[in-house]
Amino acid sequence: MDIKSSVELIESYLDLDRKPVGVKFFFNKDEFDNFEVLQKDRKVTYCNSVQLASRGQAMKLTKANQACPNGAFALHFTEVPEPIANGKGRFSKHIYKDVETSKSINDDMLFIKEQLAGIAVMPLEDYTEEPDVVIVVGSSYNVMRIIQGHGYFNGYTNNLRTVGLQAVCQDLTTYPYNTQDINISLLCPGTRLVANWQANEIGIGIPFAKWYEVVQGVIETTNPFERDKNKKGIVERLKARGLDASGIIFGQNYDDGSYSGGKIEIEELGK
Protein backbone atom coordinates (compact mmCIF):
# COMPACT_ATOMS: atom_id res chain seq x y z
CA MET A 1 0.00 0.00 0.00
CA ASP A 2 1.17 3.52 -0.79
CA ILE A 3 -0.40 6.95 -0.29
CA LYS A 4 -2.31 6.96 -3.57
CA SER A 5 -3.72 3.46 -3.16
CA SER A 6 -4.58 4.08 0.50
CA VAL A 7 -6.73 7.07 -0.47
CA GLU A 8 -8.43 5.08 -3.21
CA LEU A 9 -9.20 2.33 -0.72
CA ILE A 10 -10.50 4.55 2.10
CA GLU A 11 -12.65 6.51 -0.35
CA SER A 12 -14.06 3.22 -1.61
CA TYR A 13 -14.73 1.62 1.75
CA LEU A 14 -16.12 4.82 3.28
CA ASP A 15 -18.60 7.15 1.61
CA LEU A 16 -16.62 10.32 2.33
CA ASP A 17 -17.86 13.80 1.48
CA ARG A 18 -14.39 15.30 1.85
CA LYS A 19 -10.87 14.32 0.90
CA PRO A 20 -8.54 13.04 3.63
CA VAL A 21 -6.04 15.81 4.43
CA GLY A 22 -2.32 15.41 5.03
CA VAL A 23 -0.36 17.86 7.19
CA LYS A 24 3.42 18.00 7.01
CA PHE A 25 5.68 19.91 9.42
CA PHE A 26 8.92 21.53 8.32
CA PHE A 27 11.53 22.39 10.93
CA ASN A 28 14.11 23.39 8.32
CA LYS A 29 13.55 26.48 6.17
CA ASP A 30 15.37 25.07 3.12
CA GLU A 31 13.23 21.93 3.18
CA PHE A 32 10.12 24.09 3.44
CA ASP A 33 11.23 26.37 0.60
CA ASN A 34 12.11 23.40 -1.63
CA PHE A 35 8.76 21.68 -1.10
CA GLU A 36 7.06 22.30 -4.42
CA VAL A 37 3.72 23.70 -3.33
CA LEU A 38 2.80 27.36 -3.49
CA GLN A 39 2.74 29.29 -0.24
CA LYS A 40 -0.57 30.97 0.54
CA ASP A 41 -0.43 34.66 -0.40
CA ARG A 42 -2.64 35.81 2.48
CA LYS A 43 -3.54 35.01 6.05
CA VAL A 44 -5.77 32.02 6.74
CA THR A 45 -6.77 30.22 9.89
CA TYR A 46 -5.11 26.83 10.16
CA CYS A 47 -8.48 25.07 10.44
CA ASN A 48 -9.71 26.83 7.32
CA SER A 49 -6.61 25.60 5.46
CA VAL A 50 -7.58 22.05 6.47
CA GLN A 51 -11.12 22.65 5.23
CA LEU A 52 -9.79 24.00 1.92
CA ALA A 53 -7.49 20.98 1.56
CA SER A 54 -10.47 18.68 2.15
CA ARG A 55 -11.97 20.31 -0.96
CA GLY A 56 -8.84 19.85 -3.06
CA GLN A 57 -6.61 22.89 -2.40
CA ALA A 58 -2.93 22.52 -1.52
CA MET A 59 -0.87 25.17 0.24
CA LYS A 60 2.17 25.96 2.35
CA LEU A 61 1.92 28.22 5.39
CA THR A 62 4.35 30.07 7.63
CA LYS A 63 3.99 32.23 10.72
CA ALA A 64 3.09 35.16 8.45
CA ASN A 65 0.03 33.27 7.16
CA GLN A 66 -1.51 32.60 10.57
CA ALA A 67 -4.89 34.30 11.02
CA CYS A 68 -5.81 32.61 14.31
CA PRO A 69 -3.71 33.17 17.46
CA ASN A 70 -4.73 29.82 18.95
CA GLY A 71 -3.68 27.91 15.86
CA ALA A 72 -0.44 29.87 15.74
CA PHE A 73 0.64 28.90 19.24
CA ALA A 74 -0.59 25.30 18.89
CA LEU A 75 1.77 24.97 15.92
CA HIS A 76 4.47 26.89 17.81
CA PHE A 77 4.67 29.73 15.34
CA THR A 78 4.21 31.87 18.46
CA GLU A 79 4.42 31.28 22.20
CA VAL A 80 1.36 30.53 24.32
CA PRO A 81 0.16 33.89 25.70
CA GLU A 82 0.36 34.19 29.48
CA PRO A 83 -3.41 34.80 29.91
CA ILE A 84 -4.03 31.45 28.18
CA ALA A 85 -1.28 29.64 30.06
CA ASN A 86 -2.41 30.87 33.48
CA GLY A 87 -6.11 30.35 32.75
CA LYS A 88 -7.22 33.93 33.32
CA GLY A 89 -7.91 34.68 29.64
CA ARG A 90 -10.52 32.00 29.02
CA PHE A 91 -11.97 32.34 32.51
CA SER A 92 -12.59 36.04 31.79
CA LYS A 93 -14.76 34.99 28.83
CA HIS A 94 -16.87 32.73 31.09
CA ILE A 95 -15.85 29.53 29.29
CA TYR A 96 -14.93 27.72 32.55
CA LYS A 97 -16.17 27.98 36.13
CA ASP A 98 -12.86 29.09 37.63
CA VAL A 99 -9.27 29.96 36.74
CA GLU A 100 -8.01 26.56 37.85
CA THR A 101 -10.29 24.72 35.43
CA SER A 102 -9.37 27.14 32.67
CA LYS A 103 -5.65 26.65 33.31
CA SER A 104 -6.07 22.86 33.33
CA ILE A 105 -7.38 22.99 29.75
CA ASN A 106 -4.19 24.53 28.45
CA ASP A 107 -2.04 22.30 30.67
CA ASP A 108 -3.62 19.17 29.19
CA MET A 109 -3.25 20.22 25.56
CA LEU A 110 -0.20 19.06 23.61
CA PHE A 111 1.29 21.56 21.18
CA ILE A 112 4.27 21.40 18.82
CA LYS A 113 7.41 21.75 20.94
CA GLU A 114 9.96 22.76 18.29
CA GLN A 115 9.89 25.96 16.28
CA LEU A 116 8.38 25.38 12.85
CA ALA A 117 9.68 26.86 9.61
CA GLY A 118 6.34 26.12 7.97
CA ILE A 119 3.70 23.53 7.21
CA ALA A 120 2.07 21.99 4.16
CA VAL A 121 -1.68 21.34 4.21
CA MET A 122 -2.89 19.34 1.20
CA PRO A 123 -5.20 16.57 0.09
CA LEU A 124 -3.46 13.40 1.24
CA GLU A 125 -3.54 12.05 -2.31
CA ASP A 126 -1.24 14.90 -3.46
CA TYR A 127 1.70 13.77 -1.32
CA THR A 128 4.60 11.83 -2.77
CA GLU A 129 6.37 11.75 0.60
CA GLU A 130 4.89 10.97 3.98
CA PRO A 131 3.09 13.75 5.87
CA ASP A 132 2.99 13.78 9.67
CA VAL A 133 -0.74 13.67 10.33
CA VAL A 134 -3.85 12.68 8.40
CA ILE A 135 -7.14 14.43 9.17
CA VAL A 136 -10.54 13.12 8.10
CA VAL A 137 -13.62 15.27 8.72
CA GLY A 138 -17.00 13.78 7.98
CA SER A 139 -20.04 12.09 9.44
CA SER A 140 -19.96 10.45 12.85
CA TYR A 141 -20.63 7.16 11.05
CA ASN A 142 -17.40 7.39 9.06
CA VAL A 143 -15.41 8.37 12.14
CA MET A 144 -16.91 5.35 13.92
CA ARG A 145 -15.74 3.10 11.07
CA ILE A 146 -12.22 4.54 11.24
CA ILE A 147 -12.12 3.88 14.98
CA GLN A 148 -13.31 0.32 14.34
CA GLY A 149 -10.51 -0.05 11.79
CA HIS A 150 -8.00 1.18 14.37
CA GLY A 151 -9.47 -1.18 16.95
CA TYR A 152 -9.01 -4.19 14.64
CA PHE A 153 -5.26 -4.00 15.26
CA ASN A 154 -5.05 -2.01 18.49
CA GLY A 155 -8.04 -2.92 20.62
CA TYR A 156 -9.87 -0.42 22.81
CA THR A 157 -9.30 3.26 22.11
CA ASN A 158 -7.99 4.70 25.39
CA ASN A 159 -6.44 7.93 24.18
CA LEU A 160 -9.42 10.00 22.99
CA ARG A 161 -9.43 13.49 24.50
CA THR A 162 -11.39 16.54 23.44
CA VAL A 163 -13.10 19.54 25.00
CA GLY A 164 -14.72 21.48 22.14
CA LEU A 165 -11.86 23.96 21.90
CA GLN A 166 -8.85 24.24 19.56
CA ALA A 167 -10.43 21.36 17.71
CA VAL A 168 -8.52 21.16 14.43
CA CYS A 169 -5.19 22.63 15.51
CA GLN A 170 -4.86 20.66 18.77
CA ASP A 171 -7.35 17.77 18.82
CA LEU A 172 -6.75 16.67 15.24
CA THR A 173 -3.19 17.79 14.59
CA THR A 174 -0.74 18.47 17.41
CA TYR A 175 -2.23 15.96 19.85
CA PRO A 176 -2.04 12.99 17.43
CA TYR A 177 1.42 14.15 16.37
CA ASN A 178 2.71 14.20 19.95
CA THR A 179 1.03 11.00 21.14
CA GLN A 180 1.38 9.09 17.87
CA ASP A 181 -2.15 7.90 18.47
CA ILE A 182 -5.53 8.70 16.95
CA ASN A 183 -7.84 11.31 18.42
CA ILE A 184 -11.32 12.55 17.63
CA SER A 185 -12.81 16.02 17.81
CA LEU A 186 -16.40 17.21 17.94
CA LEU A 187 -14.98 20.45 16.51
CA CYS A 188 -15.51 23.83 18.19
CA PRO A 189 -17.51 27.02 17.62
CA GLY A 190 -14.47 28.86 16.25
CA THR A 191 -13.64 26.40 13.52
CA ARG A 192 -17.31 25.91 12.68
CA LEU A 193 -17.47 29.67 12.04
CA VAL A 194 -14.27 30.28 10.08
CA ALA A 195 -14.04 26.93 8.27
CA ASN A 196 -17.76 26.47 7.70
CA TRP A 197 -17.94 22.80 8.66
CA GLN A 198 -21.37 21.20 8.45
CA ALA A 199 -23.33 20.91 11.70
CA ASN A 200 -23.18 17.11 11.75
CA GLU A 201 -19.47 16.79 10.93
CA ILE A 202 -16.80 15.66 13.37
CA GLY A 203 -13.15 14.83 12.82
CA ILE A 204 -10.45 12.28 13.47
CA GLY A 205 -6.70 12.88 13.47
CA ILE A 206 -4.35 10.00 12.69
CA PRO A 207 -0.55 10.02 12.87
CA PHE A 208 0.66 8.96 9.44
CA ALA A 209 2.63 6.12 11.03
CA LYS A 210 -0.75 4.49 11.74
CA TRP A 211 -2.52 5.48 8.53
CA TYR A 212 -1.97 2.34 6.45
CA GLU A 213 -2.88 0.16 9.43
CA VAL A 214 -6.13 2.08 9.94
CA VAL A 215 -7.04 1.76 6.25
CA GLN A 216 -6.39 -1.97 6.36
CA GLY A 217 -8.42 -2.23 9.56
CA VAL A 218 -11.39 -0.52 7.90
CA ILE A 219 -11.17 -3.07 5.08
CA GLU A 220 -10.94 -6.01 7.50
CA THR A 221 -13.97 -4.88 9.51
CA THR A 222 -16.23 -4.21 6.53
CA ASN A 223 -18.00 -7.57 6.43
CA PRO A 224 -18.86 -7.77 10.13
CA PHE A 225 -19.84 -4.10 10.60
CA GLU A 226 -21.32 -2.81 7.33
CA ARG A 227 -24.92 -3.59 6.39
CA ASP A 228 -25.81 -4.83 2.91
CA LYS A 229 -27.00 -1.41 1.74
CA ASN A 230 -23.59 0.09 2.50
CA LYS A 231 -21.79 -2.96 1.11
CA LYS A 232 -23.52 -2.38 -2.20
CA GLY A 233 -22.12 1.16 -2.32
CA ILE A 234 -18.66 -0.11 -1.40
CA VAL A 235 -18.73 -2.64 -4.23
CA GLU A 236 -19.82 0.06 -6.68
CA ARG A 237 -17.04 2.44 -5.59
CA LEU A 238 -14.40 -0.31 -5.71
CA LYS A 239 -15.44 -1.39 -9.21
CA ALA A 240 -15.55 2.22 -10.42
CA ARG A 241 -11.87 2.48 -9.43
CA GLY A 242 -11.00 -0.88 -10.95
CA LEU A 243 -10.36 -2.40 -7.52
CA ASP A 244 -11.16 -5.91 -6.34
CA ALA A 245 -14.58 -6.20 -4.68
CA SER A 246 -14.63 -9.98 -4.34
CA GLY A 247 -13.99 -9.86 -0.59
CA ILE A 248 -17.32 -8.19 0.19
CA ILE A 249 -19.75 -10.74 1.66
CA PHE A 250 -23.45 -9.91 1.74
CA GLY A 251 -25.90 -11.18 4.33
CA GLN A 252 -23.32 -11.45 7.08
CA ASN A 253 -22.72 -9.23 10.13
CA TYR A 254 -21.13 -9.49 13.55
CA ASP A 255 -24.48 -9.37 15.37
CA ASP A 256 -26.38 -11.96 13.35
CA GLY A 257 -28.78 -13.81 15.66
CA SER A 258 -27.92 -11.64 18.67
CA TYR A 259 -31.23 -9.85 19.11
CA SER A 260 -34.61 -11.21 20.19
CA GLY A 261 -38.12 -9.81 20.00
CA GLY A 262 -37.74 -7.98 16.69
CA LYS A 263 -37.21 -4.32 15.88
CA ILE A 264 -39.89 -1.93 17.12
CA GLU A 265 -40.85 0.57 14.45
CA ILE A 266 -41.63 4.16 15.37
CA GLU A 267 -45.31 3.88 14.42
CA GLU A 268 -45.70 1.04 16.91
CA LEU A 269 -44.51 3.04 19.91
CA GLY A 270 -47.99 4.41 20.62
CA LYS A 271 -49.53 0.96 20.85
Side-chain angles (χ1 to χ4, degrees), residues 232-262:
K232 181 179 178 182
I234 292 168
V235 168
E236 290 173 353
R237 291 190 294 273
L238 285 168
K239 288 183 175 180
R241 289 175 165 86
L243 300 175
D244 181 20
S246 63
I248 305 299
I249 302 173
F250 289 85
Q252 174 182 305
N253 290 108
Y254 80 106
D255 53 358
D256 291 342
S258 297
Y259 311 118
S260 60

Side-chain angles (χ1 to χ4, degrees), residues 115-172:
Q115 200 80 48
L116 281 173
I119 60 175
V121 186
M122 313 195 304
L124 179 60
E125 64 193 11
D126 289 355
Y127 281 90
T128 56
E129 56 187 81
E130 295 183 357
D132 292 291
V133 176
V134 177
I135 297 172
V136 178
V137 176
S139 69
S140 58
Y141 184 89
N142 282 326
V143 173
M144 175 196 74
R145 287 292 297 119
I146 291 172
I147 288 177
Q148 288 169 336
H150 177 267
Y152 180 81
F153 290 104
N154 296 279
Y156 200 80
T157 312
N158 294 305
N159 196 53
L160 302 182
R161 294 170 62 180
T162 187
V163 74
L165 185 71
Q166 291 196 247
V168 178
C169 59
Q170 199 275 157
D171 284 357
L172 300 183

Side-chain angles (χ1 to χ4, degrees), residues 34-53:
N34 292 331
F35 191 74
E36 294 185 354
V37 171
L38 289 177
Q39 184 175 342
K40 199 72 174 170
D41 61 356
R42 65 194 68 183
K43 287 190 174 183
V44 60
T45 65
Y46 169 70
C47 55
N48 194 20
S49 75
V50 173
Q51 192 270 344
L52 293 170

Side-chain angles (χ1 to χ4, degrees), residues 8 31 42 69-70 90 103 113-115 133 167 234 241:
E8 289 184 335
E31 290 181 4
R42 65 194 68 183
N70 288 2
R90 287 171 176 154
K103 182 179 184 300
K113 298 178 178 64
E114 301 174 72
Q115 200 80 48
V133 176
I234 292 168
R241 289 175 165 86

